[in-house]
Amino acid sequence: MRVLITADPGLEPITADEILELWPRSGAEPDPEPMSGRTWAELPHDADLKRARTIHHVIEVLHEDRVSSLDDVRESARTLDVPALAGASSFRVTAHREGEHAFSTDALAGAVGAALQRRHGTPVDLNNFQVHVRADLYGSRLIVGVQRTSKDLSKRIRRPQPLRTAVKASIAASMLRLVGAHASTGTLCDPMCGSGTILVEACETNPSLRVLGFDWDDDTVEIARGTVANHALQIPIAPLEISDLSARVGPTLDFVITDPPYGIRRGRRMRLDDFYTTMLDSIHRATTKCSRVAIISPRVKAMQKALANSPLTADRVIQVRAGGLTPHIWVLSKT
């Protein structure tokens, strides 16, 4: 089946690589539009989609067209055949739009839903639906299909309590792939682990890794321990200031992946330039000669300033769009 895979905008090449690794004949490739969050592939109907850790949703594409008005949408969907609706008890249509249009997202969903209901006679049920139809409109490009994922696959981390700034599991999985930790042995550390997302993702992606976690805040450490326990994992997590990392572990870390603070600690604003400089120096002293580091932060200027005087070198910098922010991921190595 031809599928549209949604992921975090900016990380489409990482998703395409993962899909090709899992399904070598898929022909997966990122959409040509930059920062689209879309990857295209051919997958078997029985593909175990939960094996892919960098993705959000998978839509089986049934129909593509060019439209310029809501009337065009209605006409395009009028003869659309959706085999999954045959004998289905109910369905709903979820719409997504990007670009300027003279109609709303709800109107788009309504137009496609009404056309499908007239053609197939399947009842519409917005809550207890059996088939989930997607109508995505990117500029003038209309894509209609059946969503094969019942929920966002990135929402898999079971935290004891929510943290507003927690990194997405799909982004954590992408960072693992960016440093090669998804398919390597060695020791991985998140020295500012927050709720523990990166720790859990590392262990579940690659059980061969030795994984360590630290955080400066005792309460946050307890949350991370709760997250790890919810996933039935054994990961040592302890309180630690980032400046003390090398004193605790020595130059033993093969991978460091972390999502550092953005500028607030217990309600007090940090001096990010100094903090990020200390962070990079401490990570450098705690890592092996061939280590790889991935850091995500929206504080671009602070990171650039800290890197200017750091023994760590940026091999790759990727902008990502997530949660209303546009953080960057820095992939670093020792000079």
Side-chain angles (χ1 to χ4, degrees):
M1 61 179 175
R2 176 168 167 77
V3 297
L4 168 61
I5 299 168
T6 64
D8 300 286
L11 296 175
E12 301 88 353
I14 310 303
T15 293
D17 286 347
E18 180 185 36
I19 299 302
L20 284 169
E21 184 180 292
L22 292 171
W23 296 284
R25 297 181 180 180
S26 65
E29 57 183 13
D31 191 276
E33 183 181 340
M35 298 288 286
S36 69
R38 301 188 293 272
T39 297
W40 299 88
E42 294 280 346
L43 295 182
H45 280 273
D46 61 351
D48 182 2
L49 302 176
K50 291 183 179 179
R51 293 175 63 199
R53 306 192 69 89
T54 67
I55 73 176
H56 291 236
H57 285 294
V58 176
I59 300 101
E60 180 184 359
V61 177
L62 301 176
H63 179 71
E64 294 185 56
D65 201 358
R66 292 286 178 178
V67 299
S68 59
S69 67
L70 204 56
D71 285 339
D72 288 348
V73 172
R74 295 189 184 99
E75 181 61 25
S76 183
R78 184 175 61 83
T79 59
L80 175 58
D81 185 39
V82 180
L85 293 182
S89 60
S90 60
F91 81 104
R92 72 165 291 171
V93 176
T94 299
H96 174 79
R97 284 188 313 117
E98 291 182 10
E100 297 294 326
H101 305 98
F103 48 88
S104 68
T105 302
D106 286 345
L108 171 61
V112 173
L116 293 179
Q117 204 280 328
R118 282 194 296 269
R119 178 169 176 78
H120 294 274
T122 310
V124 174
D125 190 329
L126 299 181
N127 298 311
N128 300 309
F129 50 89
Q130 183 179 349
V131 178
H132 189 177
V133 176
R134 284 277 298 258
D136 293 356
L137 184 59
Y138 305 106
S140 63
R141 186 182 185 186
L142 175 66
I143 301 168
V144 182
V146 173
Q147 184 168 295
R148 293 299 182 185
T149 41
S150 59
K151 66 175 184 178
D152 187 333
L153 295 183
S154 72
K155 295 180 179 179
R156 56 180 174 266
I157 303 299
R158 300 187 293 276
R159 304 178 182 92
Q161 68 183 71
L163 290 183
R164 183 175 58 86
T165 58
V167 67
K168 289 182 180 179
S170 54
I171 293 179
S174 296
M175 294 171 74
L176 284 164
R177 298 185 71 85
L178 282 167
V179 299
H182 68 295
S184 301
T185 58
T187 300
L188 180 146
C189 178
D190 182 353
M192 293 164 282
C193 67
S195 63
T197 299
I198 291 170
L199 304 178
V200 169
E201 197 61 33
C203 278
E204 293 189 342
T205 298
N206 183 1
S208 298
L209 290 169
R210 175 175 178 251
V211 178
L212 307 173
F214 301 102
D215 201 281
W216 70 278
D217 178 60
D218 290 343
D219 294 338
T220 303
V221 166
E222 289 306 313
I223 293 172
R225 287 172 175 167
T227 301
V228 166
N230 287 345
H231 287 258
L233 297 171
Q234 299 293 325
I235 303 174
I237 305 171
L240 186 75
E241 288 282 351
I242 185 64
S243 57
D244 297 327
L245 179 63
S246 61
R248 174 69 69 91
V249 302
T252 62
L253 303 180
D254 301 292
F255 304 102
V256 174
I257 301 178
T258 195
D259 176 21
Y262 295 169
I264 300 291
R265 297 182 75 173
R266 285 183 180 165
R268 294 185 178 183
R269 189 163 296 277
M270 301 166 57
R271 291 178 57 87
L272 273 188
D273 292 355
D274 294 342
F275 179 79
Y276 280 16
T277 296
T278 299
M279 173 186 70
L280 293 180
D281 179 65
S282 187
I283 289 173
H284 177 264
R285 288 184 284 110
T287 47
T288 64
K289 183 178 180 180
C290 299
S291 64
R292 298 276 285 169
V293 178
I295 299 172
I296 184 169
S297 175
R299 305 306 189 191
V300 177
K301 290 184 178 179
M303 272 294 295
Q304 288 174 334
K305 187 173 181 179
L307 278 169
N309 299 305
S310 172
L312 294 172
T313 300
D315 299 324
R316 191 172 180 182
V317 183
I318 302 172
Q319 185 179 33
V320 185
R321 192 163 64 240
L325 298 174
T326 53
H328 287 55
I329 298 172
W330 284 264
V331 183
L332 312 176
S333 62
K334 287 195 173 185
T335 54

